Amino acid sequence: MRHVDLALTAAFVIPVEPAGVLAGHTVLVDAGRIVAIEPPAIAARDYLPAAQIELPRHALLPGLVNAHTHAAMTLLRGIADDVHLEDWLREHIWPREARFVTPEFVHDGVLLAAYEMLTGGVTCCNDMYFYPDAAARAYQAAGMRAVLGVPVLDFPTPYASDADAYLQAGLAARDAFKHAPRLSWMIAPHAPYTVGDATFGKIVTFARQLDLPIQTHLQETRAELDTSLAADGASPLARLDRLGATGAGFVAIHAVHLAPGDAERLAAQGCSVVHCPTSNMKLASGIAPVVDLLGRGINVALGTDGAASNNRLDLFSEMRLASLLAKVATGDAAALPAAEALRMATLGGAQALSLDERIGSIQPGKDADLVAVDLGELADAPVYDPVSHLVHVACRERVTDVWVGGERIVQDRRLMTIDLAALAGRVGLWQQKLQ
């Protein structure tokens, strides 16, 4: 018999890849990685686990991947609702950021976000914000996996004075944490309308030298597209393509309003798109053409955006809304079925973040990022299709246990890594300042 660290036996194991449901199976974990998925009798015959956990009411699925967020903005949750995007940014968010955002703000905001995400089944996120070194420390404290963006803008903030200073500070943070096993990095210019051609040229150079992917907000609003077409005669995506910023590994966040040829360009170059349905609805940005993108073979992931424009970091809500919006947008009730929505929230996110060889599905050799969801509550009964239930019935409050790299981070709905009372006190202090 092979000795392993952990055996998890669940009512339903949902690997995501291959698609389908394994009823009454055991996932075996050793040294932080998935060893095998077996029927319980085979697992008991061939493996000797140091710990064994029975989940008779649960679905066990890969950790969810929040492929776009601004985690520290949890401290700005609900501070400016029911406002158009341009006004939201220029009149409410950017002035407060200029006044209040510090490394301490980011650290505390990220800890709050990590608490919300981990207890909601999100084991990995893609975070684009200021002071990524402070964010990295918070993710390490929480035990969460994260991709951190090196933020770049062409205007000054308290974080940096110009594009060169942004790159210098962000890449220094990357150098300081590049060996952290649960952290990885991308270069994250804010958007084509806040970053000029010369700066994108520098970004492309660094990205190629350091083998770092590029992500950016792209064509979130109709106004962004129309302004670019009027000024340059091309969409923002076409402009970035001309500058060499696109290609395999490029991540287009939002991609709500695409010009003719944009979808073909994304498909031909192997780019990914992050769909943020709640944020796009809340800011009235529109509905991304997700069904068309998927039909072209483009990888589509799911993101929450920041808590200031959502106002939750809840991938269960995003899965359901993505599926329902696709049906309304296309007039096709069969569009974006539950299994596809779940894939977008797991393996699709992992692929967008270049982590699909490590996470995103329950397969031997991958890191054991796992989530147990209780499907046994009477209010949720009966359960005919566990995958459909996860997308259309279950909510994040049904998450009971979470493992990251085989480490049990959430146990019986309680995050084990953060002093929650101390965090609550700091969040209260920030609220007093921000009000």
Side-chain angles (χ1 to χ4, degrees):
M1 299 180 70
R2 176 177 174 178
H3 288 264
V4 294
D5 293 332
L6 178 63
L8 298 168
T9 301
F12 310 105
V13 173
I14 303 174
V16 173
E17 189 173 272
V21 177
L22 301 173
H25 271 58
T26 300
V27 176
L28 297 137
V29 176
D30 192 56
R33 294 180 179 269
I34 299 163
V35 172
I37 305 101
E38 301 284 4
I42 302 299
R45 184 195 69 190
D46 294 346
Y47 296 91
L48 188 62
Q52 187 156 349
I53 297 174
E54 300 289 331
L55 300 163
R57 297 164 34 125
H58 290 67
L60 189 68
L61 59 146
L64 302 178
V65 179
N66 185 354
H68 176 62
T69 192
H70 311 285
M73 294 182 81
T74 50
L75 295 177
L76 299 171
R77 190 196 318 267
I79 208 163
D81 286 344
D82 307 317
V83 180
H84 293 293
L85 175 61
E86 292 80 5
D87 295 336
W88 181 79
L89 284 171
R90 298 182 188 281
E91 297 180 16
H92 298 279
I93 298 303
W94 286 345
R96 284 185 171 92
E97 288 179 332
R99 182 176 177 187
F100 292 108
V101 172
T102 62
E104 293 75 23
F105 177 100
V106 170
H107 182 269
D108 292 347
V110 169
L111 278 182
L112 179 60
Y115 166 69
E116 181 180 359
M117 288 190 281
L118 285 166
T119 55
V122 177
T123 57
C124 177
C125 75
N126 179 27
D127 189 3
M128 177 196 288
Y129 207 60
F130 307 109
Y131 301 104
D133 50 339
R137 289 192 293 274
Y139 287 118
Q140 286 188 316
M144 187 171 177
R145 197 179 304 279
V147 177
L148 291 152
V150 172
V152 186
L153 290 158
D154 265 341
F155 58 82
T157 65
Y159 176 62
S161 58
D162 57 23
D164 290 336
Y166 282 101
L167 285 164
Q168 181 178 0
L171 293 174
R174 178 254 182 186
D175 289 343
F177 290 94
K178 64 182 178 182
H179 298 301
R182 294 180 187 173
L183 301 179
S184 52
W185 295 81
M186 304 177 81
I187 301 184
H190 172 261
Y193 60 87
T194 54
V195 178
D197 287 7
T199 298
F200 265 110
K202 296 175 183 178
I203 289 166
V204 169
T205 298
F206 278 115
R208 290 174 178 170
Q209 288 177 345
L210 300 173
D211 194 24
L212 293 175
I214 297 172
Q215 60 170 313
T216 192
H217 299 103
L218 187 78
Q219 292 164 232
E220 183 176 359
T221 66
R222 184 76 214 182
E224 179 187 345
L225 175 60
D226 290 345
T227 299
S228 179
L229 291 173
D232 300 329
S235 70
L237 178 63
R239 174 183 154 224
L240 296 187
D241 183 17
R242 172 173 54 81
L243 295 171
T246 60
F250 176 77
V251 179
I253 300 160
H254 298 301
V256 175
H257 298 278
L258 297 180
D262 281 349
E264 291 85 352
R265 183 176 281 107
L266 291 167
Q269 297 189 19
C271 306
S272 289
V273 167
V274 181
H275 180 35
C276 303
T278 301
S279 179
N280 294 158
M281 291 171 68
K282 188 168 184 289
L283 294 169
S285 299
I287 303 173
V290 173
V291 173
D292 178 64
L293 297 174
L294 290 168
R296 296 173 184 273
I298 297 168
N299 178 60
V300 181
L302 282 178
T304 60
D305 214 338
S309 65
N310 186 299
N311 297 354
R312 298 157 64 92
L313 307 182
D314 181 356
L315 259 289
F316 284 89
S317 293
E318 302 303 331
M319 284 192 288
R320 187 163 192 259
L321 279 176
S323 179
L324 298 181
L325 273 178
K327 299 174 193 304
V328 169
T330 62
D332 180 3
L336 197 56
E340 187 67 58
L342 179 61
R343 190 186 188 283
M344 289 165 62
T346 51
L347 192 57
Q351 184 176 335
L353 306 185
S354 302
L355 292 174
D356 48 308
E357 292 187 1
R358 295 181 59 188
I359 62 170
S361 59
I362 302 179
Q363 293 178 283
K366 286 196 171 185
D367 290 357
D369 290 10
L370 302 166
V371 174
V373 181
D374 185 358
L375 299 182
E377 292 291 332
L378 181 59
D380 299 341
V383 180
Y384 297 113
D385 179 345
V387 174
S388 174
H389 238 65
L390 287 169
V391 173
H392 293 298
V393 179
C395 57
R396 65 180 181 180
E397 287 76 19
R398 297 292 190 247
V399 172
T400 63
D401 298 88
V402 174
W403 292 263
V404 178
E407 179 186 359
R408 198 176 193 178
I409 300 293
V410 176
Q411 181 173 349
D412 298 327
R413 296 185 169 89
R414 181 170 179 81
L415 184 63
M416 308 302 292
T417 53
I418 295 175
D419 183 338
L420 299 181
L423 176 60
R426 294 198 299 277
V427 171
L429 292 174
W430 281 113
Q431 182 176 358
Q432 292 176 19
K433 292 180 181 180
L434 289 158
Q435 282 178 327

